[in-house]
């Protein structure tokens, strides 16, 4: 097994028995996960190795958050403590965490009824509302300010001048790729198409903003497990942080409810957004502003192509056709999309 975890040293730190089988779980893009069977039961073993999120202090903060959310009844899978009471095990300079195994499956928006889409929006709203009190309590316990810190990252939205330069660089990569294939052809088409759209809409660049608060940071179908019709666990809290909340709601909807051809399922978006607003008290204008910022973000975003051409990482390639078509469709149907989120 590539990147096999040091099971003997790890399990000695837990009262989890001896390993029987350990199989990689394929979905994660940032960290590595394993389905672990031991003489004591089934577990999910997570190897935190992404440099941006793998600091033990950051992992411990994620763990405290999920423990507190679980106490409030939010469906999560908190980590298990080791023999020393800690939930982060560091072996050979690498950080690991052991979680209970949650039986369930991932469900895309196309597999959800309209009512279930409403419950999904309410769930994200509950997460946002609960995190505010949870993280305030966590900060007080550590003697820190209970005020939310400033959101990380640039203060401004993407600059189209930078995007034009990136498009040119990516087009060079596409031209040089040999042998040329259908992915190259689609990439070239989308890059030229996106450049034309940005030239047309460059004056619509938004200011960065919106009501900030603690968010999951990566709420999408692969990070939510369903058991039957009900959510069983929200997983992968690596991106827990302070960011504009309404933008997470819009960003999640753009992943859950995108159809293969690149359009959003707007009736389901509407049910989801209404439930989110009702749960959080977010206003229609707040959601409309978030729609504008996320639309602009999508118009300027090429992370899938950067992974493919700059890193040689093709794991996101299957998502590219729908995601790249969405930016074009969203631009054409901008007013209708705003209405679905704000109505």
């Amino acid at each position: 097994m590539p990147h096999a975890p040091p099971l003997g040293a790890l399990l000695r730190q837990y009262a989890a028995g001896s390993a029987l089988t350990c199989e990689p779980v394929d979905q994660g893009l940032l960290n590595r996960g394993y389905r672990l069977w031991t003489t004591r039961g089934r577990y999910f073993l997570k190897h935190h190795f992404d440099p941006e999120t793998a600091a033990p202090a950051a992992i411990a903060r994620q763990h405290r958050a999920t423990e507190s959310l679980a106490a409030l009844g939010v469906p999560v899978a908190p980590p298990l403590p080791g023999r020393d009471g800690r939930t982060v095990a560091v072996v050979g300079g690498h950080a690991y965490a052991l979680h209970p195994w949650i039986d369930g499956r991932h469900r895309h928006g196309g597999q959800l009824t309209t009512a279930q889409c409403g419950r999904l929006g309410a769930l994200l709203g509950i997460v946002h509302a609960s995190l505010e009190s949870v993280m305030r309590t966590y900060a007080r316990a550590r003697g820190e300010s209970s005020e939310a810190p400033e959101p990380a990252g640039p203060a401004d939205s993407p600059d189209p001048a930078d995007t034009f330069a990136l498009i040119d660089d990516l087009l060079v990569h596409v031209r040089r790729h040999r042998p040329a294939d259908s992915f190259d052809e689609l990439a070239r088409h989308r890059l030229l198409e996106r450049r034309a759209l940005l030239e047309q809409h460059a004056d619509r660049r938004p200011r960065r903003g919106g009501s900030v608060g603690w968010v999951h940071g990566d709420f999408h179908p692969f990070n939510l497990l369903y058991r039957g019709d009900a959510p069983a666990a929200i997983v992968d809290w690596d991106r827990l942080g302070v960011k504009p909340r309404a933008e997470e709601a819009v960003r999640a909807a753009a992943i859950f409810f995108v159809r293969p051809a690149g359009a959003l399922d707007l009736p389901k978006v509407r049910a989801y957004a209404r439930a989110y607003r009702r749960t959080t008290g977010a206003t229609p204008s707040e959601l409309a502003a978030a729609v504008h910022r996320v639309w602009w973000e999508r118009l300027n975003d090429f992370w899938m192509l950067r992974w493919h051409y700059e890193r040689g990482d093709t794991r996101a390639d299957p998502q590219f056709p729908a995601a790249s078509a969405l930016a074009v469709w969203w631009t054409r149907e901008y007013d209708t999309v705003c209405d679905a989120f704000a109505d």
Side-chain angles (χ1 to χ4, degrees):
M1 182 197 314
H3 314 295
L7 293 179
L10 279 170
L11 290 177
R12 281 194 292 272
Q13 299 191 35
Y14 293 92
S18 302
L20 297 175
T21 63
C22 182
E23 302 171 347
V25 176
D26 294 333
Q27 275 92 355
L29 292 179
L30 295 177
N31 295 301
R32 299 186 183 110
Y34 303 89
R35 182 186 293 106
L36 176 63
W37 287 63
T38 78
T39 52
R40 294 286 180 85
R42 294 187 298 164
Y43 303 92
F44 176 74
L45 175 64
K46 185 165 184 174
H47 176 192
H48 294 264
F49 75 92
D50 181 62
E52 294 184 17
T53 61
I59 301 170
R61 183 176 66 185
Q62 299 162 22
H63 290 175
R64 298 296 85 74
T66 54
E67 288 167 351
S68 299
L69 289 172
L72 295 175
V74 179
V76 291
L80 300 171
R83 297 181 187 276
D84 60 1
R86 299 178 182 178
T87 55
V88 182
V90 179
V91 178
H94 295 277
Y96 298 87
L98 192 66
H99 299 258
W101 180 261
I102 304 296
D103 281 318
R105 64 189 183 99
H106 304 290
R107 300 184 70 180
H108 194 273
Q111 299 169 309
L112 302 177
T113 66
T114 302
Q116 289 169 339
C117 295
R119 289 195 286 273
L120 178 66
L123 175 61
L124 182 57
I126 290 169
V127 168
H128 286 175
S130 299
L131 279 173
E132 287 303 297
S133 61
V134 161
M135 299 310 293
R136 191 177 299 116
T137 301
Y138 177 75
R140 283 199 298 265
R142 292 172 56 85
E144 300 171 353
S145 170
S146 61
E147 296 298 321
E150 289 297 316
D156 295 325
S157 56
D159 186 335
D162 295 334
T163 306
F164 290 138
L166 175 59
I167 288 172
D168 289 340
D169 287 344
L170 287 170
L171 284 169
V172 171
H173 280 288
V174 172
R175 285 196 297 270
R176 291 177 177 173
H177 185 255
R178 292 291 182 274
D181 55 26
S182 58
F183 188 93
D184 298 325
E185 182 179 355
L186 178 61
R188 181 179 182 278
H189 170 72
R190 292 304 188 196
L191 286 164
L192 294 174
E193 180 180 53
R194 196 78 62 83
R195 184 163 64 188
L197 284 174
L198 277 169
E199 289 170 349
Q200 182 181 354
H201 297 284
D203 60 339
R204 298 177 65 184
R205 180 187 179 188
R207 291 185 178 182
R208 193 73 175 170
S211 174
V212 301
W214 287 97
V215 298
H216 176 274
D218 202 19
F219 193 79
H220 59 69
F222 284 141
N223 285 341
L224 179 59
L225 286 166
Y226 276 83
R227 187 180 296 122
D229 292 335
I234 304 165
V235 299
D236 285 349
W237 292 78
D238 304 277
R239 297 297 188 186
L240 174 71
V242 177
K243 296 179 182 177
R245 288 180 294 241
E247 288 183 31
E248 170 155 271
V250 174
R251 201 173 288 114
I255 303 172
F256 270 98
F257 304 120
V258 63
R259 291 168 167 163
L264 292 178
D265 189 327
L266 293 180
K268 291 185 175 181
V269 168
R270 194 180 303 273
Y272 161 94
R274 283 177 175 171
Y276 176 81
R277 295 200 319 270
R278 186 167 56 247
T279 305
T280 61
T283 65
S285 61
E286 189 177 349
L287 265 293
V291 167
H292 184 68
R293 288 191 297 271
V294 177
W295 162 75
W296 181 260
E297 175 186 280
R298 286 299 189 99
L299 208 56
N300 286 267
D301 182 44
F302 295 96
W303 74 268
M304 295 179 190
L305 293 185
R306 299 192 72 173
W307 276 35
H308 181 96
Y309 290 106
E310 296 177 0
R311 297 168 50 170
D313 190 329
T314 60
R315 288 177 296 168
D317 286 6
Q319 303 174 43
F320 179 68
S324 60
L326 175 60
V328 181
W329 177 88
W330 195 335
T331 303
R332 186 175 66 246
E333 301 293 336
Y334 179 89
D335 290 338
T336 306
V337 174
C338 281
D339 182 67
F341 278 95
D343 176 42

